[in-house]
Amino acid sequence: MTTYKKAGMMKKMRQDQRSTSKPPPPASSSSAPSQPPPTVSQHLPPPPASSSSAPSQPPPTVSLHLPPPPASSSVPSQPPPTVNLHLPPTPASTSAPMHPPLPPPHTSAPKHPSRAVQPQPSTSSTRLSSPPPLTVVQPQPSTSSPAALVDKVKSSYDVRQELLKDNSPTAAIDKKQLIISVDDIRRVLDIAACTVCYAPLTLSAKTDCLSSKLTVTCTSCDTGVVIRDETAKTSTGKNTKMLENNVKGVFEAVNNNIGITGLNRIISTFGFDTFSQGKFTRHAHFLYKRMDKQYPVRMKDVISAVFTHYESYDILPEQTTGLLDITVSYDGTWMTRGHSSHIGVGFVVEVDTGFIIDRKVISNFCQVCSSREKRQLPATPEWMARHASSCNKNYTGTSASMGTEAARRLWSRSTQLGLRYTTYVGDGDSSTYQAVQQLNPYDVPVRKEECVNHVSKRLGTRLRKLKKEMMTTITTKTGKEMRRSLLSGPSQLTENTINKMTSYFGKAVRGEKDKPYTSTEDMRKSILASYHHAVSTDDRPQHNYCPPGINSWCFFRRGEADRTKFCRKHSTKPGYFSKIPSEHRGAILKVYTDLTNEDLLKRCMKGRTQNSNESLHSKLWMKVAKHKFAGISRVNFITQVVILEHNFGFEAAYFPRHLGFKTTACKSANLQFLQKESIRSSTPKKTVRCQRKKSGNSADYISGGF
């Protein structure tokens, strides 16, 4: 038998097997003959009945023959000017709709139930200086859904919005806008007529950068209409000469760090006239002055919200002075990198709610004063008196001392807000705290707490410094002498070892959220456990500080609890410090001893951070670039904008709304998107670590089990 015949027989056998394996078709339940499947037209509902008895006809089609614009022989052709029109809303139709209305969208229940802050009144007779940590009501998690096991924590933004829910202004929606050229409007008016005498219409257009004024008049009668932009209003409600679109354009240019060059580049693309330097500066200074009047009014609502938050925990102001003691975090930032910055900013943030309470901008440079000095012009008393109100220099000193000077001024004027910053969360910079202590602004001392994020970095800094200090001279094979650290080399104090031990030190300082430290001794043991665990060997195990039990992160203590499941030797995975000579470990242990002193651990017990201040710094310098020059007026304006956006949200803090301007639906949607992005970027992301399974050990990977 040939190969082709054999293949044909095999193919026929497979077809027979497939035909026999198919189940028989189901029997029909009735004896009625089979009918063809229904067509699509049988499933469609009948068309809706018309409201009138006249038969439906297609809408009439109108053809417009627009004459081309007249060509001029003497004047060269130029692009027509462009104007910005406000289109009125389309009137609703009175006729019946041709299609039935769509059903309303399905609104589902919120994904997570609301969480409210439960106040915990103080039972002691002494007055507290800070409210207890926020207590979050968490629902019972469902074991069937993994998403239900995620911790539900109320963000500081939700707390601020809850306290300021009655102080947010309502948004007024403006009409939709359209960009159209003047020639296109004239072509439309050529086929239009006056509604009174049916005479032709004429158009006169006047443009002013982004703003415009259109006047449509009748050639026969006095009928006409004027279309123009709104004008900005003063704090008393009076109109000014600043037009709406120009003010909005300059605000976006200043707020988004594009300046006059970027603004002119954009608007010239659409055919608008560009801003001159003088006009741009006048609009910018108008915004600066209006913000200086609007900012204190909005911040009064923030101070009232802080008082309300502390009253919910029965923490009231003193009866004699009326001042409320609060806990704040302070940090300074500089405009340019290095130690040559001319502008520095200090922020005071309430740690429990995240509200920005106050700020101060320090500048040691004035362009006008500097130019007079270069030209060797005398600074007469008469000139100084005239220039004092507009001088940008408010501090004489070095750039390094700007943060300290800003802290002095902020603590000095805190009583004007009805507050006392009695507890201060700061970083390792001791000069600011010493300056506040020397100032002694209150009749009570100011207590300092450490930012645990900054403290956690100290171990890495100290170990790198120790590695550089422990140097020796060695001779290479070629006879050349060179300096080398005693702690360098494989299995010594490498950069990877320093990073790992710094990470474990930071975890020990922060502690666990569900099991906070009750004493400094517990924190000290947790920190020292990482060192003694790292130096342990099979001959000399040192796990006395490691937590016992089968759930411990220490493999040795887990092995003591269950030797059949968690037993392994130190040589399988040596500790990070185990191969360092014993005579050099003493210097490393001294570093751990210095970082576990009682005074430092007391200031870290509450686990507070300066994350809000660091976030503000990044928001500020995104709007004011560090590589470009900016004066104190612009930095102060952007600082106020950032504070209002942080406290109230992007939409409620939109500044042109407070100038009497309305907000379009598109702009409101954009502001809401910016707010969602800000919340998303500030929310800590939970990463699921892979489960590490080794041969002969079925236990899952446990964080910290090294």
Side-chain angles (χ1 to χ4, degrees), residues 94-243:
T94 57
S95 60
M98 297 183 63
H99 300 284
L102 296 176
H106 176 68
T107 56
S108 59
K111 191 173 183 179
H112 301 288
S114 61
R115 281 85 68 184
V117 178
Q118 301 295 331
Q120 298 179 355
S122 175
T123 57
S124 60
S125 59
T126 59
R127 191 169 59 91
L128 301 177
S129 62
S130 176
L134 299 178
T135 304
V136 180
V137 180
Q138 298 192 12
Q140 296 294 333
S142 174
T143 57
S144 60
S145 175
L149 302 178
V150 180
D151 295 335
K152 300 174 178 60
V153 181
K154 198 168 188 178
S155 63
S156 60
Y157 172 77
D158 296 333
V159 176
R160 293 194 298 271
Q161 293 302 306
E162 183 178 350
L163 293 171
L164 293 173
K165 58 184 178 181
D166 298 331
N167 299 320
S168 298
T170 57
I173 304 301
D174 197 1
K175 296 171 289 186
K176 194 172 182 179
Q177 299 191 16
L178 176 68
I179 296 178
I180 187 172
S181 65
V182 176
D183 284 351
D184 290 339
I185 300 177
R186 286 197 175 99
R187 294 171 65 186
V188 174
L189 294 179
D190 287 342
I191 61 173
C194 177
T195 58
V196 178
C197 62
Y198 302 100
L201 301 176
T202 60
L203 171 69
S204 63
K206 181 181 178 181
T207 60
D208 183 11
C209 296
L210 288 171
S211 299
S212 60
K213 178 183 177 181
L214 300 180
T215 305
V216 180
T217 56
C218 177
T219 57
S220 178
C221 61
D222 296 334
T223 305
V225 62
V226 179
I227 305 173
R228 67 175 67 186
D229 286 347
E230 297 290 338
T231 57
K233 294 179 174 56
T234 61
S235 57
T236 58
K238 296 182 179 180
N239 292 328
T240 63
K241 295 182 180 180
M242 301 295 175
L243 299 177

Side-chain angles (χ1 to χ4, degrees), residues 252-301:
E252 296 296 338
V254 174
N255 190 37
N256 293 282
N257 197 32
I258 62 176
I260 182 175
T261 304
L263 178 62
N264 287 339
R265 185 181 303 171
I266 294 174
I267 67 176
S268 62
T269 305
F270 298 100
F272 293 100
D273 297 333
T274 58
F275 282 86
S276 64
Q277 184 64 50
K279 179 178 290 188
F280 184 88
T281 304
R282 287 194 299 271
H283 282 76
H285 283 279
F286 170 77
L287 293 172
Y288 300 163
K289 292 179 181 179
R290 285 303 314 274
M291 176 61 82
D292 290 338
K293 295 181 180 179
Q294 182 67 29
Y295 176 78
V297 177
R298 302 299 304 275
M299 290 304 294
K300 289 182 180 179
D301 299 334

